[in-house]
Every structure is written in C-alpha cells, then in structure tokens.
Amino acid sequence: MLRYLILCLYRKIPASKAVAFFNNSNLSRNKKNRILKKAGLNITGRPNIKAPFYFETGNIILAERVFININCFFMDNAPIAIGQKTMIGPNVTISTADHPIIADDRTSVSAKSVTIGSNVWIGAGAVILPGVTIGDNSIIGANSVVNCDVPANCLYAGTPAKFKKSLWLQ
C-alpha cells in the first residue's frame, strides 16, 4: 500500500515501474488502473486486466469494458487502440514495432499503430502485427498471426490469419 501511495504522488511514472507495480500488487482494479494511467495509458471506464500484463511505453487507449486476460504483451511504440467490450485471450501479443527487410537497416525500428474495434474477440496466443486494423464484432482464432486488416463482422484464423466466414449479428 505504501508503494501505491508513493506512486500516486508522481504526475507521471515510467512504464517499467507501472508494469512492476501492476504485476506484483494485490490492490484493487481501480488502484492498479490509476497507476496504469500515470504511465500514459488512456483508460475509459474500468477495464479488467489480469496480471501479468506487459507493455513498453504506455501508448495504449482502452475503451470501456475491455477485458485483457493473463500474460499479454503490448509492444506499444505506436498507439494501440482497443474498442469497447473487446475481449483479449491469454498470451496475446500486439506489436507496433517493425524492422526493415534490408539487413544493413535492421538496427532501426519503425512503428505502425494497431486499431482494434469494439466487441472484438481475440483468441488465446494470437499475434497482431504492426499496422493492422481489426473491425468491429470480429473474431480472431486462437494462435492466429494477423498480418493484414480484418473487416468488421468476420472470423479470421490461422497462420497467417485468413478469412473463414462472415459473422451476421442477430
């Protein structure tokens, strides 16, 4: 509790400290979310994030009623935006970092944002690559690697993720 009170005194805290606090604290969801906000996360409402949860810079936007299961890693060099009522399974990786194909240029890093719509379900172990947009109400199958945009109301699965079927809402 003392560590929480000390972190609350700061206007902004490094992402590494927020990650360490989040993953090693037994405090309430509200208190953990407050520390995540101080690390730069833009949080609306009360997302339900299960520890351990890892991120690099705090360049994440979470809408209301987002659920992030255990052991997720967000490489957030560019913004990662997640829409309301989206559910992310365990061991999901979302990466915005990219490296050039040319060998001599690989020491540099570029970043492309990732956007995930509302009411999306991302299955366990999925990997979302830089620059991807996933449309509202879509589903990403477990262990899929998403390297292209996913339209709204679609099921994508596989490595690389491919269109499987349309999802018609009732």
Side-chain angles (χ1 to χ4, degrees):
M1 184 69 165
L2 180 60
R3 202 164 103 208
Y4 168 74
L5 293 172
I6 291 169
L7 289 173
C8 283
L9 293 174
Y10 293 99
R11 210 167 105 187
K12 186 168 172 79
I13 62 173
S16 58
K17 284 190 179 188
V19 167
F21 175 82
F22 186 89
N23 292 333
N24 296 306
S25 169
N26 291 325
L27 294 177
S28 70
R29 181 182 351 165
N30 284 342
K31 289 181 173 146
K32 287 183 171 188
N33 287 345
R34 184 173 181 190
I35 298 304
L36 292 178
K37 286 180 183 180
K38 287 183 174 283
L41 276 75
N42 183 343
I43 297 174
T44 305
R46 292 182 52 207
N48 188 355
I49 305 170
K50 301 294 183 185
F53 171 61
Y54 304 96
F55 59 93
E56 288 193 328
T57 65
N59 201 1
I60 302 169
I61 303 164
L62 300 176
E64 293 190 35
R65 296 174 57 192
V66 169
F67 175 75
I68 300 172
N69 213 324
I70 63 170
N71 208 36
C72 288
F73 179 72
F74 292 5
M75 189 176 288
D76 54 337
N77 301 78
I80 296 173
I82 301 173
Q84 63 185 357
K85 295 196 260 179
T86 290
M87 298 182 299
I88 298 176
N91 300 309
V92 169
T93 299
I94 301 175
S95 177
T96 63
D98 203 0
H99 296 276
I101 295 172
I102 299 168
D104 292 340
D105 297 337
R106 285 193 197 137
T107 56
S108 65
V109 176
S110 63
K112 298 176 188 164
S113 64
V114 171
T115 303
I116 300 170
S118 296
N119 201 35
V120 172
W121 179 15
I122 299 176
V127 177
I128 313 299
L129 296 176
V132 167
T133 297
I134 299 174
D136 294 344
N137 306 310
S138 289
I139 297 173
I140 306 300
N143 290 318
S144 296
V145 177
V146 183
N147 63 355
C148 63
D149 289 350
V150 175
N153 304 308
C154 289
L155 169 63
Y156 269 60
T159 303
K162 294 189 188 293
F163 175 81
K164 298 298 180 185
K165 70 177 187 176
S166 291
L167 304 171
W168 301 103
L169 298 178
Q170 306 295 326

